[in-house]
Amino acid sequence: MNEEKISSRFIYFFGAFGGILFGYDIGVMTGALPFLEKDWNLYNSAGIVGWITSAVMFGAIFGGALAGQLADRLGRRKMILISAIIFAVFSVLSAIAPNNGSYYLIIMRIFLGLAVGAASALVPAYISELAPAAIRGRLSGLNQTMIVSGMLISYIVDYILKGLPNQIAWRLMLGFACIPAIILYLGVMKLPESPRYLIKDGRPDEAQKVMSYVRSSEGEINNEINQIKETAHKEQEAQKTSWSALFSGKYRYLVIAGVGVAAFQQFQGANAIFYYIPLIVQKATGQAATSTLMWPIIQGVILVIGSLVFMWIAEKFNRRTLLMFAGTIMGLSFILPAIIRWIDPHASQMMIVVFLCIYVAFYSATWAPLTWVLVGEIFPLAISGRAAGLASSFNWIGSWAVGLLFPIMTASMSQEVVFAIFGVICLFGALFVKTCVPETRGHSLEEIESRYSKAK
C-alpha cells in the first residue's frame, strides 16, 4: 500500500465515481434510442426496442450477485477496477455494432450490464465501510449525486450530438461511455481497500492505516477497529457463510428489509421515465422524439438538484420517515393524472409530464439515494457482500422489467393507466417500509447488526 497519506476527499470522490459510470449508461440510451430507431427502422418492434434498452439491466442482475461474492474474496477495490475495464471494453464494442445488428447490440449491452451491476453493488458497500456513522448517509448520497450527474452528462452529450446523421449519433453516444470508465480506473488505482474487508482478510494493521485517512482521532480509530474485530472474530467461529445463511432466523429480517427496499425502488417505475422520456413527450405532444431531447436534460437537472437536497437532509430526518413520505407523494403523482383524465378526458396531455417532474423530484431526493444508504448500512459483515449483491440483483430485475415492458405496455394501454399501476406500487413500497424496515440513521454497522439480527 502507498505510504503517502491519501486525502479523505479523494477517497470519497473516487469511491463514489462508479456512480458516473453506470449513471451515464442508464441515461445515454434515452437520447440514443430515437436515432437508433430511425437508423434501424425499429418503429414497430416494441420487443426489440425494450430488449436493447433493458439489456444492460438484464446483465446487471448477474453482475451485482457475482460482484458481491467476488468482493468478499478479492476485496471491493479490485472488483471496482475489474468492473471499469469491462465497462470500457463493451462500451466500445456496443458503439461498433454492425448495421441492423439488434441481437449483437443486445448481447454487448448484457455484458456491459455485468459491470454496471457490479458497480451498483460495490460502490455503496465501499463508501459505507469507510464512512463514519454520523455522515454515512450524506456520503452515500454522494454516490447518488454521481449517478444522476452521469445521467445528466449523457443527456447533454445526446443533445450536443443530435445534429449528426442518425447512424453516427447513437454510436458516438454509446461509445463515449468508455471515458468515465477510464477515469474511474485511474482514480481507483490510488484508493485503499475497505478496512472491514482488510480485517476480515486478516490484515488489521493495514485496516488501521486506512482508518487513519478517514477518522480524526486515534481513540475513534481504535474503538471502531476493536468493534470490527470483535464482530469479525464471532463470524470466523461460525460456519462459512452460505446463501442459506441469508435467510436463516438470525439474518432474515434484515435481508428481507434491504432486498425489499431495493426491489421496490425500481418496480416503482422511475426508469420508465429515465429511459423513455423523449417517447413519453412524443406521445403527449406529437413532436418527433429526436426533437424532444431537452426534456431529458430537464429531468437530469431535477435529479441532480434532488440528490443535493438529499445530502442536505440525509442526517436531519430518519430514513423511514423520508421513504414513507416521498413514496406516498410519488404514488399520487402517478395516480392523479389517470384520475384527472377520467374526470376530464380533454385535459392537457402535457399534464402527465408535469406530474412526472414532481415524481422525479421526490424520487431523486429520497428513494434513489436512500435505497443504497440502507443497503450499505443494514447488512451484517458476515453476509454484507452476498446480501448487497442480492439486493442489487433484485433492484436490477425491477429495472430490467420496467425497461423491457414499458414500451410494450404503452403500445396496448394509455400512458396514464401505465403510470397509475406504478403509482399503486409506490404506495405499497411506503407500506413495506412502515412495516418491515428498521431505522439505521446514526448507528454503526456493528450496532445495527447487534440490535436487529440476534433476536430475529
Side-chain angles (χ1 to χ4, degrees), residues 128-148:
S128 290
E129 291 176 2
L130 279 164
I135 62 169
R136 195 167 54 229
R138 195 178 307 126
L139 286 173
S140 295
L142 176 62
N143 176 47
Q144 179 62 22
T145 300
M146 290 291 193
I147 294 173
V148 295

Side-chain angles (χ1 to χ4, degrees), residues 105 115 148 222 228 235 247 296 301 306 327:
L105 185 56
V148 295
N222 291 333
I228 299 169
E235 289 154 0
F247 302 100
V301 170

